[in-house]
Amino acid sequence: MSYQRGSLKKVKRREGEIWVLRYRVTNSDGRRVENVMPIGLVRQFPKDKDAWREAGRLGLSVRINEAPALAPRVSFHFLAEHYLKADFGADAVRPKSVNTTGHVEHVVRAYLVPRFGHEIAEDIKPLDIQRWLKSLRESNCLAWTTISKMRGVMHRIYKIGILHEHVAKNPVQHVETRSKSDYKAIVITPAQTLAILKALPSPLHFPLVLTCAATALRASEILALRWSDLLWNEGRIRISKRWANGGDGETKTEASDGYVPLHPILAAHLRSWRGQSLYSKDTDFVFPSLRARGRVPLSASIFVADHLRSAAKKAGVRIEDGQRFGLHNLRHSLSNWMVNKAKVEPRTVQGILRHAKIQTTLDLYTQEDGDETLAAQGEYLTALGVATPLVQ
């Protein structure tokens, strides 16, 4: 076979226009078919000669003339794009949520590809990766937990690459990061929570905060609630979805898909709110957006910025400028109160919080007792001082 140089072509991709090297190979039935190898983004190699120089550095011109059995030495960019298709597509063994997909794509395209995209995947050194990750902490001020997740994504890219025989080794397995967060959530007392409730004039906001405080639901879970999810006769609230990216999505983990207790005190407040709400059908949102006429739930971020933070400051909660405080702090607060003040069994607290891992709730993971979780929530509501819906 005569030596072939191949030809350049610009191809549009999601991340922008890229150069590819076109060449022909003979398949098993003797036909000549066109193949392509990615070179890099056009904005990084604006001229033909720049693209040819990069193709030479990657060794593509040599590889296309070698035996078909020898796989080309792929760039990290190719490996990353292959991962996004293989690990998030129809063949994925573990389905990913919409939030996870968006987060991973952001990590890949905003951080990993710009730094390593045009390097040969198998030539990237573990020490180079570790130094770069450390620089993200020092220069970009990223949290170690965020950096650790980036390391995990890069490790997964190589793992899938090995599975599909694009690379033979994973340099990330030798890379170290810190995974312990230095974030400390603001924890508030039942008295402060009651003060916050009294500072919320809207009949919509009171039951929202009360429900969040008493159930420790995540914001995305509480927004997804419809009235049909409140199982009044069973004394439970069904959690089967969460509100993400403007629609219903799967729960954060398998453990999150389940039930939380609905104590009679909390049920009385929610019944009172349903009687006032303009959107009280079973299929309506429990906490709807009034501006959107109930078509979607209210915006948690807008509610926190416009109402919750100011109400918390009025209640004496110390919140520094730029410090995180939102509905999730109510989840932390309930857990803290139950474990440290009410001395509730950790297994019961874990059941209420629906943690997926043992380490998350005092390294203890067992089935929760339905009566205990109901009684524990009742103790909290009594301590909160909202024994009747008339507390507003």
Side-chain angles (χ1 to χ4, degrees):
M1 182 178 70
S2 61
Y3 181 85
Q4 60 172 326
R5 183 169 181 255
S7 61
L8 295 177
K9 182 182 180 181
K10 295 179 182 178
V11 178
K12 290 185 178 180
R13 297 280 177 84
R14 290 179 63 178
E15 65 276 18
E17 201 171 28
I18 70 168
W19 287 107
V20 297
L21 179 65
R22 298 192 301 174
Y23 64 100
R24 291 185 174 276
V25 296
T26 304
N27 61 19
S28 58
D29 61 6
R31 291 188 301 165
R32 297 281 288 173
V33 295
E34 184 181 275
N35 277 21
V36 297
M37 287 186 184
I39 297 173
L41 293 168
V42 173
R43 65 172 177 267
Q44 293 179 302
F45 306 102
K47 298 181 180 180
D48 288 16
K49 64 179 182 180
D50 299 324
W52 278 119
R53 189 180 298 113
E54 179 65 8
R57 190 186 72 82
L58 296 173
L60 302 186
S61 298
V62 176
R63 301 301 296 179
I64 65 176
N65 289 282
E66 292 182 348
L70 297 177
R73 282 161 50 81
V74 300
S75 67
F76 180 80
H77 180 260
F78 170 86
L79 204 64
E81 288 297 328
H82 172 76
Y83 157 74
L84 292 176
K85 294 177 182 177
D87 207 32
F88 288 80
D91 294 333
V93 175
R94 294 178 295 177
K96 312 296 191 301
S97 70
V98 174
N99 280 3
T100 298
T101 302
H103 168 73
V104 170
E105 286 186 349
H106 174 72
V107 168
V108 170
R109 297 198 168 107
Y111 289 94
L112 299 181
V113 169
R115 172 59 183 85
F116 297 105
H118 300 294
E119 295 189 34
I120 298 296
E122 291 191 322
D123 289 347
I124 298 174
K125 305 299 183 185
L127 187 57
D128 290 337
I129 301 172
Q130 185 160 311
R131 285 173 174 167
W132 175 68
L133 291 173
K134 186 179 179 183
S135 74
L136 294 177
R137 171 65 177 176
E138 297 169 349
S139 302
N140 297 47
C141 297
L142 296 182
W144 276 116
T145 48
T146 301
I147 295 170
S148 180
K149 290 176 181 178
M150 289 184 181
R151 179 201 174 277
V153 172
M154 195 172 186
H155 186 279
R156 185 72 181 170
I157 288 173
Y158 275 96
K159 188 173 182 179
I160 296 300
I162 293 172
L163 179 67
H164 290 260
E165 300 182 354
H166 291 304
V167 290
K169 59 182 181 180
N170 187 345
V172 188
Q173 66 184 8
H174 305 294
V175 175
E176 296 180 351
T177 60
R178 292 172 55 189
S179 58
K180 186 176 180 180
S181 174
D182 53 7
Y183 166 70
K184 291 185 178 180
I186 296 175
V187 174
I188 61 178
T189 65
Q192 289 175 317
T193 305
L194 180 59
I196 291 173
L197 290 169
K198 289 182 176 180
L200 295 171
S202 169
L204 166 61
H205 297 159
F206 183 97
L208 168 67
V209 172
L210 179 63
T211 303
C212 193
T215 63
L217 288 177
R218 300 175 179 92
S220 58
E221 295 167 343
I222 205 167
L223 295 182
L225 289 178
R226 273 75 164 182
W227 288 111
S228 59
D229 293 317
L230 275 59
L231 309 180
W232 309 100
N233 295 332
E234 298 179 26
R236 299 192 299 176
I237 301 174
R238 178 175 54 229
I239 310 301
S240 59
K241 53 193 173 297
R242 62 174 175 166
W243 189 259
N245 297 320
D248 288 329
E250 295 182 352
T251 54
K252 184 177 181 180
T253 65
E254 290 184 6
S256 300
D257 191 331
Y259 300 86
V260 295
L262 176 61
H263 192 275
I265 295 176
L266 177 60
H269 284 280
L270 288 171
R271 286 185 187 277
S272 176
W273 161 236
R274 190 175 190 178
Q276 301 174 62
S277 177
L278 297 174
Y279 311 100
S280 58
K281 291 186 288 188
D282 283 350
T283 54
D284 288 335
F285 289 103
V286 177
F287 305 108
S289 167
L290 302 181
R291 180 176 297 180
R293 298 183 180 180
R295 292 189 297 271
V296 296
L298 58 69
S299 168
S301 59
I302 294 176
F303 165 69
V304 169
D306 293 350
H307 303 283
L308 185 60
R309 287 180 68 92
S310 59
K313 289 181 178 179
K314 289 180 182 178
V317 180
R318 294 183 59 182
I319 308 173
E320 303 294 336
D321 291 341
Q323 192 173 12
R324 288 158 57 184
F325 183 84
L327 291 172
H328 202 73
N329 291 84
L330 300 174
R331 180 175 170 87
H332 281 280
S333 300
L334 177 62
S335 174
N336 182 75
W337 185 87
M338 284 187 168
V339 173
N340 297 323
K341 301 298 182 183
K343 306 300 180 184
V344 177
E345 282 292 325
R347 72 178 68 182
T348 303
V349 179
Q350 184 194 359
I352 293 175
L353 299 179
R354 293 160 297 116
H355 283 148
K357 295 182 180 180
I358 295 175
Q359 301 92 323
T360 311
T361 312
L362 305 178
D363 295 325
L364 187 61
Y365 181 41
T366 57
Q367 283 290 108
E368 78 274 20
D369 183 278
D371 292 335
E372 285 189 7
T373 59
L374 195 65
Q377 189 186 73
E379 288 184 32
Y380 177 76
L381 288 164
T382 300
L384 195 59
V386 288
T388 71
L390 301 178
V391 73
Q392 297 181 65

